[in-house]
């Protein structure tokens, strides 16, 4: 079947999609957007986290056909999205959350990073100054095998502080 | 495979009548796992996610009509005042991403004994609204679970909504698992006090082939509260009552040994949860108060 939806502000069409196929598969294998990672395909790891009409979801658990007509945001579109949200026209820059992950050393192998970035960015959009408990809660669906999470928490705090100072 | 995406409820019912083997797809958090792992290859998927009726919540003084596909996140955010037990249970489901998609309709559809909505629905006294082109059935939730991962739906029926009376007394939910997030229940327990009808209802998860109530325990506790005048006085209830109630709840279980826990552990855990939820609930009970909104700080919040 054919599925049409908007990804990172661009209208995309995918053809010959199998009816039982996940949104994650379509993004990675049909639309050339491998940023969202595929690790477990069962909703446990969060490395495939994208926003579907604004809501963070596991792309591996959304059937491609369910995304028909919707707006999807993946890590590839995060910088643009954050820029538009803040109204600051600085092209070719990472989003504040991405910068903070880099600076805090929250990225090791990087496999979990795209999902965490999308989830953390959405948290800060909703709640610009989250408590530690709120950060842990918002990121409870994203597993990381490398960092031990402390640096990830540092990064989210850093991004929140950075935004607060501006 | 065929992918059907009805835009409205009538259309969905017609599609289900025409394709009785079509597998409904709501949040996909159960179904997609099965598809991704090749455990299931249905001929037809019936996507319900575009149907606005299923995402609606209707509130009247006598009932909350919870659309089958309303995600857990909304139950936690918007319905904790009227469905406190279900909101507590919803709060323990998976992770934010899972709660953003997963629904009570899906939990009922899967009818896993470990589903977290079930104990809360049993305790609250919910009714499942099952509909087909032939008409609507209102199924008391305790009659909905017919076996391990089996439910009372006919092959042409879909779940439209769940109907629950707004809480008029304290409700509690407790779940034993290996960690706080993303954990499937080893077992779970829910309790609701219904001062209006002067009754107590319970729900037990993962400790029998289906989610179950503990009728003898409910009756015992209800009788003690009634005969002792406790509904009126709100006085502390002797600890022996809690112990007996907990024992009767444990006796209502029919658990198995599996990778998540042994039968003996489950029975023990249900006993402990029954006692604790009762203590929390009674601590939140005030005679004459129409509703208690903020009970359960120590429980699954
Ligand atoms: C990582 C992860 C963690 C999880 N953690 C928990 C947890 O902690 N607690 C818990 O209880 N569950 C958990 N689950 C299971 C799942 O999220 C729940 O069972 C959820 O309620 C399913 O809802 P859904 O809308 O996603 O259902 P779907 O997957 O869309 O459907 C589930 C079943 O219900 C049927 N169905 C759906 N809607 C209807 C309808 N309106 N009428 C008739 N049939 C219908 C479907 O055909 C299917 O058989 C978890 C799942 C994952 C992947
Ligand atoms: S790949 Fe989707 S949650 Fe792990
Ligand atoms: S950085 Fe390797 S999994 Fe998180």
């Amino acid at each position: 079947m054919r599925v049409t939806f908007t990804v990172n502000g661009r209208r995309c069409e995918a053809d010959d999609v199998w009816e039982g196929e996940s949104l994650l598969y379509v993004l990675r294998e049909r639309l050339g957007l491998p940023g969202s990672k595929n690790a477990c395909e069962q909703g446990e790891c969060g490395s495939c986290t994208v926003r579907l009409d604004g809501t963070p979801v596991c792309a591996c658990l959304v059937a491609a056909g369910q995304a028909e007509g919707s707006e999807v945001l993946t890590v590839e579109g995060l910088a643009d999205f954050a820029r538009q949200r803040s109204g600051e026209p600085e092209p070719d820059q990472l989003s504040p959350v991405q910068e903070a992950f880099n600076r805090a050393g929250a990225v090791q192998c990087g496999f979990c990073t795209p999902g965490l970035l999308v989830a953390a960015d959405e948290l800060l959009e909703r709640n610009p100054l989250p408590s530690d408990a709120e950060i842990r809660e918002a990121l409870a669906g994203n597993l990381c095998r490398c960092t031990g999470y402390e640096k990830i928490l540092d990064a989210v705090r850093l991004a929140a502080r950075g935004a607060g100072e501006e | 495979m065929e992918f059907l995406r009805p835009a409205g409820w009538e259309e969905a019912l017609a599609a289900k009548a025409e394709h009785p083997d079509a597998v409904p797809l709501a949040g996909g958090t159960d179904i997609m796992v099965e598809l991704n792992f090749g455990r299931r290859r249905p001929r037809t998927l019936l996507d319900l996610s575009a149907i606005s009726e299923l995402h609606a919540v209707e509130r009247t003084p006598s009932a909350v009509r919870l659309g089958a596909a309303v995600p857990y996140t909304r139950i936690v955010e918007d319905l904790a005042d009227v469905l406190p037990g279900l909101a507590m249970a919803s709060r323990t489901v998976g992770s934010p991403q899972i709660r953003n998609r997963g629904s009570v309709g899906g939990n009922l559809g899967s009818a896993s004994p470990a589903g977290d909505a079930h104990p809360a629905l049993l305790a609250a006294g919910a009714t499942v609204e099952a509909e087909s082109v032939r008409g609507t059935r209102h199924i008391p939730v305790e009659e909905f679970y017919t076996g391990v991962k089996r439910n009372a739906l006919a092959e042409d029926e879909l779940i439209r909504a769940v109907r629950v009376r707004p809480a008029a007394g304290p409700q509690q939910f407790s779940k034993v698992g290996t960690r706080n997030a993303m954990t499937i229940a080893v077992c779970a327990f829910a309790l609701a006090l219904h001062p209006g009808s002067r009754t107590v209802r319970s729900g037990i998860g993962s400790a029998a082939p289906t989610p179950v109530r503990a009728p003898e325990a409910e009756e015992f506790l209800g009788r003690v509260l009634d005969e002792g005048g406790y509904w009126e006085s709100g006085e502390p209830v002797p600890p022996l009552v809690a112990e007996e109630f907990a024992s009767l709840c444990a006796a209502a279980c029919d658990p198995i040994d599996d990778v998540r826990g042994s039968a003996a552990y489950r029975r023990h855990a249900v006993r402990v949860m029954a006692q604790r939820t009762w203590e929390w609930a009674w601590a939140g009970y005030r005679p004459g108060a129409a509703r208690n909104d903020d009970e359960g700080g120590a429980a699954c919040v």
Side-chain angles (χ1 to χ4, degrees):
Chain A
M1 64 178 179
R2 167 178 289 190
V3 181
T4 308
F5 51 91
T6 304
V7 186
N8 303 328
R10 214 163 42 91
R11 205 179 115 94
C12 293
E13 244 170 41
D15 277 316
D16 300 320
V17 172
W18 174 57
E19 286 71 14
E21 200 163 297
S22 71
L23 171 61
L24 179 62
Y25 189 92
V26 172
L27 291 171
R28 291 177 54 85
E29 309 297 335
R30 299 193 189 277
L31 299 177
L33 293 168
S36 313
K37 296 295 176 242
N38 177 5
C40 72
E41 290 198 290
Q42 52 181 315
E44 298 274 349
C45 75
S47 63
C48 65
T49 303
V50 301
R51 288 174 73 174
L52 180 66
D53 289 329
T55 306
V57 301
C58 296
C60 69
L61 299 183
V62 177
Q66 293 186 296
E68 175 72 34
S70 62
E71 287 196 22
V72 178
L73 173 72
T74 72
V75 71
E76 286 95 341
L78 195 60
D80 276 345
F81 178 77
R83 188 160 49 242
Q84 282 169 13
R85 186 174 51 201
S86 70
E88 281 173 40
E90 287 181 68
D92 302 325
Q93 283 216 348
L94 293 178
S95 70
V97 172
Q98 286 168 311
E99 286 291 354
F101 268 63
N102 272 343
R103 271 202 280 151
V107 181
Q108 288 189 23
C109 80
F111 201 86
C112 66
T113 311
L116 273 160
L117 288 171
V118 172
D121 180 75
E122 193 267 347
L123 165 67
L124 294 173
E125 178 181 300
R126 232 177 338 111
N127 181 354
L129 276 177
S131 66
D132 280 6
E134 287 167 336
I135 300 173
R136 284 174 190 277
E137 177 52 49
L139 304 184
N142 294 79
L143 299 185
C144 172
R145 300 298 300 271
C146 304
T147 64
Y149 300 103
E150 286 305 325
K151 301 285 180 194
I152 291 171
L153 290 176
D154 287 347
V156 180
R157 288 187 208 112
L158 185 65
R161 264 208 317 275
E165 277 162 13
E166 278 160 20
Chain B
M1 199 185 283
E2 210 180 344
F3 194 90
L4 304 176
R5 193 164 206 241
W9 179 238
E10 301 301 328
E11 200 186 318
L13 293 178
K16 187 65 172 136
E18 196 182 328
H19 307 266
D21 63 347
V23 174
L25 175 63
T29 58
D30 278 322
I31 290 289
M32 287 305 291
V33 175
E34 298 191 332
L35 289 177
N36 289 345
F37 284 79
R39 288 187 210 127
R40 203 156 166 181
R41 282 285 175 268
R43 207 147 12 123
T44 309
L45 282 174
L46 180 59
D47 176 26
L48 304 176
S49 62
I51 300 174
S52 58
E53 290 97 319
L54 297 185
H55 291 270
V57 178
E58 292 159 60
R59 295 167 73 142
T60 65
S62 62
V64 180
R65 189 179 184 214
L66 175 70
V70 172
Y72 292 112
T73 301
R74 263 186 68 204
I75 299 175
V76 174
E77 287 175 358
D78 299 344
L79 297 174
D81 58 339
V82 278
L83 308 177
L86 185 63
M88 284 179 194
S90 303
R91 177 69 184 67
T92 75
V93 172
S95 64
Q97 290 92 326
I98 300 300
R99 293 195 290 276
N100 284 342
R101 296 285 293 170
S103 64
V104 170
N107 217 230
L108 287 165
S110 295
S112 158
D116 286 319
H118 311 315
L121 294 175
L122 285 164
T127 307
V128 180
E129 199 178 319
E131 202 172 328
S132 70
V133 289
R134 294 173 295 122
T136 303
R137 289 197 295 154
H138 295 272
I139 308 169
V141 71
E142 54 267 49
E143 291 167 23
F144 187 77
Y145 312 111
T146 53
V148 181
K149 302 194 177 179
R150 299 176 67 88
N151 63 42
L153 289 180
E155 57 176 17
D156 62 345
E157 278 179 327
L158 294 171
I159 302 169
R160 165 65 181 81
V162 168
R163 284 175 187 262
V164 197
R165 270 182 180 284
Q171 302 189 347
Q172 284 292 344
F173 175 83
S174 178
K175 167 174 169 180
V176 173
T178 41
R179 66 184 187 113
N180 246 341
M182 201 67 99
T183 194
I184 177 168
V186 175
C187 53
F189 188 85
L191 181 71
L193 306 184
H194 301 277
S197 55
R198 297 161 77 96
T199 53
V200 173
R201 286 178 63 114
S202 61
I204 302 174
S206 276
T210 65
V212 292
R213 290 170 66 186
E216 284 176 33
E218 294 173 8
E219 208 176 298
F220 163 76
L221 186 54
R223 200 171 53 241
V224 170
L225 295 178
D226 212 13
E227 289 172 1
Y230 292 105
W231 290 115
E232 291 77 20
S233 70
E235 293 285 313
V237 178
L240 271 178
V241 173
E243 280 170 34
E244 178 63 12
F245 172 68
S247 294
L248 289 169
C249 288
C253 301
D254 181 13
I256 55 166
D257 294 322
D258 69 12
V259 288
R260 283 179 283 135
S262 67
Y265 175 75
R266 287 193 160 96
R267 226 184 261 281
H268 174 71
V270 165
R271 179 194 303 268
V272 172
M273 288 189 290
Q275 183 155 351
R276 284 188 192 160
T277 52
W278 154 247
E279 284 161 4
W280 293 331
W282 193 248
Y285 176 68
R286 310 262 182 289
R291 184 180 301 143
N292 186 309
D293 282 344
D294 58 356
E295 87 270 7
C300 298
V301 289

